[in-house]
Amino acid sequence: MSPSAIEATSAFYATSPGLRLFRLSFTTVQRLWPALAVQAAYRLFGTPLPPRWMARHRPWDAPWQIGTLPFEDASITLYTRTSAPDAPNAPVVLLVHGWGGHAGQMLALAEAVADLGLQPVIAEMPAHGRSRGAISNLPQFARAIDYLGARLQHQGQPVRALVAHSLGANAAAFSVSRGLPVERLVLLAPPASPRAFTHLFAAVFGLSERTRAAMQQRVETREGVLMAQLEPAVVGPRIQRPTLVVHDREDRINAFADGLAYQQAIGGAQLLATQGLGHRKLLKDPQVLDALKDFLR
């Protein structure tokens, strides 16, 4: 957990006056009502920011069809490109955004996929964009990916490749490691350690170690998975698919070392190290789009 990551995340959350007040009051709540502090931390930890309504009404061009699938107590929104005559029969490439992200961030990548004659499908995770739900987390992302993979295969559209960004990449790697049937995997700026992120979260909001540990335990208990099971050293060796990892050396959200950890843990994985793109600009960078096309051909 680097100081730059804490600074970037702190600046990101500090844009909301309500959250600044939340942090100021947290010290008192932790001292007087420890259980309430854990509940509040758990809720905030699972709340995507910026709020999903900010991405809900983004315009989409005519070649895209928007549909919704019920999922758990929320939903998943799917964006399917339908302009090509053979689109329904083309191999599917599933694209997944990161935490606090939305489908529009994956649009340039999806268009690059379509240029290859493949069928891009962008999935908007629960509590993000147009999808229903108030809170989410990494294990739910992984379950949603598993569900979509199974549903598409049942419909005669098996997923040829999975392309995912940030926390979505973390979830995608976990899904593939558990047997999600895809031919290729692309991880864009993945975070290496969910547990480390809980420490970053605690540093930003002033959580004590006692509160942080209890919050982590609550997540693990409710989701039925330990955060240690999501680390690259555990997940990587179980991925037996060609994998491309793309990470920028100046990423201030997920450090370059995070992407390197995945590349080293996954046998034969390729690494594209970019410079000066940060965490999100790589999603539409021409060099990255060309590398994606070369990898998927």
Side-chain angles (χ1 to χ4, degrees):
M1 179 178 62
S2 68
S4 62
I6 294 176
E7 291 166 3
T9 307
S10 180
F12 178 76
Y13 282 108
T15 56
S16 168
L19 291 179
R20 288 200 298 269
L21 180 61
F22 183 96
R23 177 176 180 174
L24 290 173
S25 64
F26 221 94
T27 301
T28 301
V29 174
Q30 289 180 105
R31 185 176 68 252
L32 299 179
W33 302 285
L36 178 62
V38 173
Q39 176 61 28
Y42 171 82
R43 182 78 182 187
L44 183 59
F45 187 71
T47 302
L49 295 171
R52 63 192 177 99
W53 59 261
M54 296 181 66
R56 188 179 299 163
H57 300 298
R58 291 175 183 270
W60 280 80
D61 293 334
W64 290 89
Q65 178 181 351
I66 303 176
T68 302
L69 292 175
F71 181 72
E72 297 182 352
D73 59 351
S75 68
I76 303 169
T77 304
L78 294 182
Y79 300 75
T80 306
R81 198 175 189 278
T82 58
S83 58
D86 59 346
N89 301 315
V92 170
V93 175
L94 182 63
L95 300 101
V96 180
H97 60 79
W99 184 252
H102 56 84
Q105 294 172 339
M106 308 300 288
L107 186 56
L109 293 159
E111 295 291 357
V113 167
D115 289 344
L116 298 176
L118 302 173
Q119 171 61 45
V121 176
I122 307 175
E124 213 159 45
M125 294 288 101
H128 289 75
R130 289 177 168 86
S131 297
R132 290 187 290 107
I135 62 174
S136 187
N137 51 45
L138 171 57
Q140 187 183 51
F141 268 42
R143 293 195 301 273
I145 292 171
D146 290 343
Y147 175 71
L148 289 173
R151 189 174 185 88
L152 288 166
Q153 186 170 34
H154 180 71
Q155 294 173 347
Q157 295 179 292
V159 178
R160 171 173 291 186
L162 177 56
V163 180
H165 177 237
S166 197
L167 189 83
N170 202 166
F174 185 55
S175 292
V176 173
S177 77
R178 295 188 300 171
L180 183 73
V182 300
E183 295 178 17
R184 289 179 177 265
L185 175 64
V186 180
L187 305 177
L188 304 162
S193 175
R195 183 176 180 275
F197 186 78
T198 68
H199 283 277
L200 186 152
F201 179 83
V204 169
F205 287 98
L207 274 63
S208 68
E209 173 55 22
R210 179 179 179 180
T211 302
R212 186 214 62 80
M215 180 193 72
Q216 176 181 327
Q217 185 176 22
R218 177 168 295 198
V219 173
E220 293 175 336
T221 300
R222 294 196 174 192
E223 300 301 326
V225 59
L226 299 179
M227 289 189 180
Q229 295 175 269
L230 304 169
E231 303 277 343
V234 177
V235 170
R238 299 201 302 263
I239 296 177
Q240 306 296 322
R241 295 290 184 270
T243 301
L244 171 66
V245 180
V246 182
H247 215 115
D248 193 80
R249 295 184 183 276
E250 299 176 21
D251 191 329
R252 297 184 63 204
I253 303 300
N254 298 330
F256 178 72
D258 292 353
L260 194 60
Y262 272 104
Q263 186 266 330
Q264 294 173 344
I266 300 172
Q270 303 176 34
L271 174 66
L272 172 60
T274 62
Q275 189 78 37
L277 298 177
H279 190 61
R280 293 190 180 90
K281 289 182 181 178
L282 57 76
L283 297 177
K284 56 181 67 176
D285 179 72
Q287 178 191 6
V288 175
L289 298 180
D290 288 343
L292 173 68
K293 289 181 179 180
D294 290 340
F295 182 71
L296 295 182
R297 280 193 178 100

